[in-house]
DNA sequence: TAGCTCCATTAACATAGGTTAATGAAACCT
DNA sequence: AGGTTTCATTAACCTATGTTAATGGAGCTA
């Protein structure tokens, strides 16, 4: 996989209205008032990204908060031994950001990579900070969002502590429907905390159980 | 270990001033304004708890946010097989609550148990809600606190994904200085995600390495 | 002090998962 | 179509960790 950089930026004025409607749907749960949405929308830009490219690089400060229109992305880091560990996958309708590093105002502790060609809409951290300063609503949204992230993490901690590899794989299938066909098993194994060989074994065992 | 209930409540008016000073120190990082502190302090109560007793029971709604003056506590849950998994230990100077369940307004997904006789000062969830309604400061503190929790969880996820048992044990020794002597190794193993036998083996190996 | 309980340690054995390497199928390129 | 690359699968072997059970020390209680 090549790590070239052919990302294509799309200015706010050139964003298709349909994309913005799509993004608005991402935030339905957060009940954004119309006037706040107005402010937000005017700060958005678009990004076309190719398979293998990085939206965020481990060690660099996070630059944007993005929303996925299409494609699959993963957040991952390298262990001391140089092995990859995948923290999370994200696809259409999800937020994509090195959020915790932004919160801590520190360089990203993981990279974010496109696993398929993708379309993103994003707001730069700088613009988001402007929004925060003048619109308390966004401070509220920021903290509600981190609660959601925290709940996800708590769930993952629990699974890593109590479930064996096969169970974790079945939970993955459930949490990420369709991903098993779209993503290299190598990445899935690195998310489950097992080797790709073990993942294959598990898949064979499940097949045998079902026949 | 017996699970009797001999908790002893201490009314606000009977709280020693020294305890309150101690609590204030817990919150130093959060820069609580004097008048907010006043409001908060008047809603606090004390609790004496014995070894083995539960502050929070898995499945019950969380009732308070507590601050540890003395003692050691752990949060844990039971797996489907009935095995215990410890999520976190906490001692003097730390906040103690089924916080995520409070946030989600759901029953606690873990229990909190005293591993030593302990002293707590707490505010009931109900009173804290009253505070929230009239004092925006506390909403801010609430979200800053969840950020801290999130960062802890991220660290733990990373460790569970990339570190082997021996490394996790060494990190435990570092993160929780002195705990190895105060807590049953059985609980520590359940925190590290290994059996108590494996923990003993690791300890022996480290001894051998150092001699 | 004797007896009891708790619990850390150790040994012996069993199992899950890692590592390396070989194979073959699918996708991609020219 | 031929060649190349990618990658899931499988086998063989190895290591880490789990399970069970035995041992013995520390601390408590009568």
């Amino acid at each position: 996989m090549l790590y070239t950089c052919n990302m294509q930026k799309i200015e706010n004025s050139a964003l298709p209205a349909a994309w913005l409607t799509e993004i608005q749907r991402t935030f339905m749960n957060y009940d954004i008032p119309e006037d706040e949405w107005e402010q937000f929308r005017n700060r958005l830009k678009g990004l076309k990204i190719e398979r293998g490219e990085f939206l965020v690089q481990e060690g660099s400060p996070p630059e944007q908060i993005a929303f996925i229109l299409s494609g699959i992305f993963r957040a991952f880091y390298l262990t001391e031994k140089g092995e990859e560990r995948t923290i999370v996958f994200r696809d259409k309708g999800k937020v994509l950001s090195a959020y915790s590093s932004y919160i801590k105002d520190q360089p990203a502790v993981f990279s974010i990579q496109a696993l398929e060609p993708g379309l993103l809409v994003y707001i730069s951290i700088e613009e988001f900070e402007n929004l925060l300063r003048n619109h308390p609503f966004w401070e509220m949204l920021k903290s509600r969002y981190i609660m959601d992230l925290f709940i996800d993490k708590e769930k993952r901690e629990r699974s890593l502590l109590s479930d064996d590899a096969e169970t974790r794989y079945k939970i993955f299938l459930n949490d990420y429907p369709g991903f098993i066909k779209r993503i290299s098993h190598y990445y899935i194994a690195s998310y489950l905390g097992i080797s790709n060989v073990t993942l294959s074994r598990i898949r064979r065992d499940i097949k045998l159980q079902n026949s």
Side-chain angles (χ1 to χ4, degrees), chain A:
Chain A
M1 191 171 282
L2 292 174
Y3 296 148
T4 53
C5 185
N6 294 313
M7 286 187 249
Q8 192 185 326
K9 206 162 134 181
I10 299 159
E11 291 305 321
N12 183 273
S13 54
L15 285 178
W19 292 15
L20 296 172
T21 314
E22 191 72 30
I23 299 303
Q24 207 164 9
R25 199 170 305 150
T26 300
F27 282 119
M28 271 214 315
N29 292 332
Y30 295 102
D31 303 312
I32 303 182
E34 190 53 42
D35 52 333
E36 299 290 352
W37 171 251
E38 190 74 18
Q39 292 293 323
F40 185 67
R41 191 180 57 192
N42 292 334
R43 291 174 160 88
L44 293 175
K45 291 181 181 171
L47 202 61
K48 241 184 189 161
I49 193 168
E50 292 185 13
R51 182 180 140 100
E53 289 189 318
F54 288 80
L55 182 71
V56 172
Q57 292 263 8
E58 190 175 345
S60 304
E63 288 169 15
Q64 73 288 93
I65 300 170
F67 316 94
I68 307 172
L69 287 166
S70 67
I72 289 195
F73 298 79
R74 66 166 183 145
F76 75 100
Y77 63 95
L78 295 177
T79 67
E80 289 188 359
K81 289 185 194 163
E83 297 162 331
E84 293 184 354
R85 295 299 137 109
T86 296
I87 298 169
V88 79
F89 297 106
R90 293 247 188 260
D91 71 343
K92 187 179 161 174
K94 299 290 185 333
V95 178
L96 197 59
S97 176
Y99 201 74
S100 63
S101 299
Y102 160 50
I103 296 292
K104 288 185 283 185
D105 197 21
Q106 285 178 6
V109 291
F110 51 76
S111 300
I112 295 180
Q113 183 186 35
L115 303 180
E116 290 177 357
L119 283 178
L120 299 168
V121 168
Y122 71 93
I123 180 171
S124 72
I125 294 286
E126 203 187 330
E127 285 287 359
F128 189 63
E129 291 286 318
N130 288 336
L131 216 50
L132 282 179
R133 260 190 290 282
N134 305 312
H135 300 256
F137 170 81
W138 296 96
E139 191 65 58
M140 193 272 279
L141 188 137
K142 186 175 152 186
S143 72
R144 279 193 57 192
Y145 182 63
I146 201 140
M147 283 177 205
D148 292 344
L149 290 181
F150 176 73
I151 288 162
D152 283 349
K153 282 284 175 258
E154 227 180 24
K155 189 179 160 201
R156 178 134 159 100
E157 172 190 40
R158 226 178 159 93
S159 185
L160 287 170
L161 266 181
S162 28
D163 300 329
D164 63 15
E166 181 169 324
T167 307
R168 293 206 301 280
Y169 173 62
K170 286 175 174 168
I171 292 172
F172 165 81
L173 291 178
N174 196 59
D175 284 356
Y176 294 106
F179 280 38
I180 187 68
K181 276 171 263 162
R182 289 166 75 186
I183 301 179
S184 156
H185 290 191
Y186 172 79
Y187 297 143
I188 293 171
S190 89
Y191 171 77
L192 297 174
I194 59 180
S195 71
N196 50 349
V197 177
T198 298
L199 178 53
S200 259
R201 264 196 291 240
I202 288 171
R203 285 163 54 77
R204 184 193 50 197
D205 292 348
I206 291 178
K207 254 186 228 156
L208 291 176
Q209 287 165 24
N210 293 342
S211 63

